[in-house]
Amino acid sequence: MHIMEGFLPPSMCILWGVIALPFLLAGYFSLKKAVARDRRAVTLIAMAGAFIFVISSLKIPSVTGSCSHMTGTGLGAILFGPSAVSILGVIVLLFQAILLAHGGLTTLGANTFSMAVAGPFVSFGIYRLCLRCKVNKKASVFLAAALGDLVTYCVTSVQLAVAYPSATGGVTGSLVEFLGVFAPTQLPLAVLEGVLTVIIMIALEAYAQPELRAVGFEEAGI
């Protein structure tokens, strides 16, 4: 979810930037550790970053000051863990803000937290939980990617609601309105992202086993 340039008050921009910073530091050390362990991890890291960039650039404009689109962060969270995805996400968001006017520099912290922190952490948690519960591997990947996408849009809705509470219903009323606007487009996009992520994981396990082992991805037969 990309909140557009100048849409959030300065105080909110600073707040979300401060909140996102510790996750970015953790992500830096996570990626550094992965590359130091095996240089072949760079290939998958670059692929995951490119996937996030392309899939999150396909946006559907919204009247809420944001937009609806897939995120692509679930794939990276499954492969490398959620911390690493924060770095990939902020790089993607920075390039999109500068080159595509998609999102913004002032809203970078808020967009980073929703798309590159909250979503990936939920995706990773759901994936691990599904594996522990012996859920089918394809279903685990699908649920992780799809629900991570939905959580991203929910967090963006919270950010917008806190910044612009409704005159009658306050933050809660505004949140319901934002969620209602996003839902018709975001629900099918989340399903589509889940399907695409499953297809990519199948391809990786078929043709990139050395690279998967390099990032410590456990083989469970997808």
Side-chain angles (χ1 to χ4, degrees):
M1 305 300 99
H2 293 39
I3 301 175
M4 67 183 185
E5 183 70 72
F7 197 77
L8 291 181
S11 59
M12 291 290 101
C13 295
I14 295 172
L15 174 63
W16 289 112
V18 171
I19 293 174
L21 185 58
F23 295 97
L24 294 175
L25 292 175
Y28 168 78
F29 289 111
S30 178
L31 281 180
K32 184 178 180 180
K33 181 179 179 181
V35 174
R37 183 172 57 218
D38 194 318
R39 293 288 298 177
R40 288 177 295 181
V42 174
T43 302
L44 280 185
I45 292 171
M47 181 275 296
F51 180 65
I52 295 172
F53 181 85
V54 172
I55 205 170
S56 65
S57 296
L58 305 175
K59 61 183 186 284
I60 300 175
S62 167
V63 298
T64 60
S66 182
C67 56
S68 293
H69 56 78
M70 293 177 281
T71 66
T73 56
L75 176 65
I78 292 170
L79 291 175
F80 317 113
S83 295
V85 181
S86 65
I87 295 296
L88 299 180
V90 74
I91 293 173
V92 166
L93 288 166
L94 186 60
F95 271 85
Q96 289 177 335
I98 295 174
L99 301 178
L100 304 178
H102 186 193
L105 296 178
T106 60
T107 57
L108 184 62
N111 290 331
T112 297
F113 183 80
S114 63
M115 195 180 93
V117 175
F121 269 89
V122 169
S123 291
F124 181 76
I126 291 174
Y127 178 72
R128 290 295 182 179
L129 179 61
C130 287
L131 291 186
R132 288 184 180 181
C133 295
K134 308 299 182 183
V135 177
N136 176 271
K137 186 78 173 292
K138 292 188 183 74
S140 299
V141 172
F142 173 82
L143 289 173
L147 293 179
D149 179 291
L150 288 177
V151 165
T152 298
Y153 115 84
C154 289
V155 172
T156 298
S157 297
V158 170
Q159 292 172 327
L160 292 171
V162 170
Y164 299 101
S166 170
T168 55
V171 173
T172 302
S174 182
L175 176 60
V176 172
E177 293 177 3
F178 282 120
L179 290 173
V181 170
F182 281 129
T185 52
Q186 201 61 41
L187 287 172
L189 286 175
V191 172
L192 179 58
E193 179 169 348
V195 172
L196 287 175
T197 305
V198 170
I199 293 173
I200 292 175
M201 287 303 303
I202 292 174
L204 289 176
E205 292 208 334
Y207 301 106
Q209 286 290 348
E211 288 78 10
L212 290 177
R213 286 192 292 270
V215 298
F217 182 76
E218 53 187 28
E219 298 177 34
I222 194 166

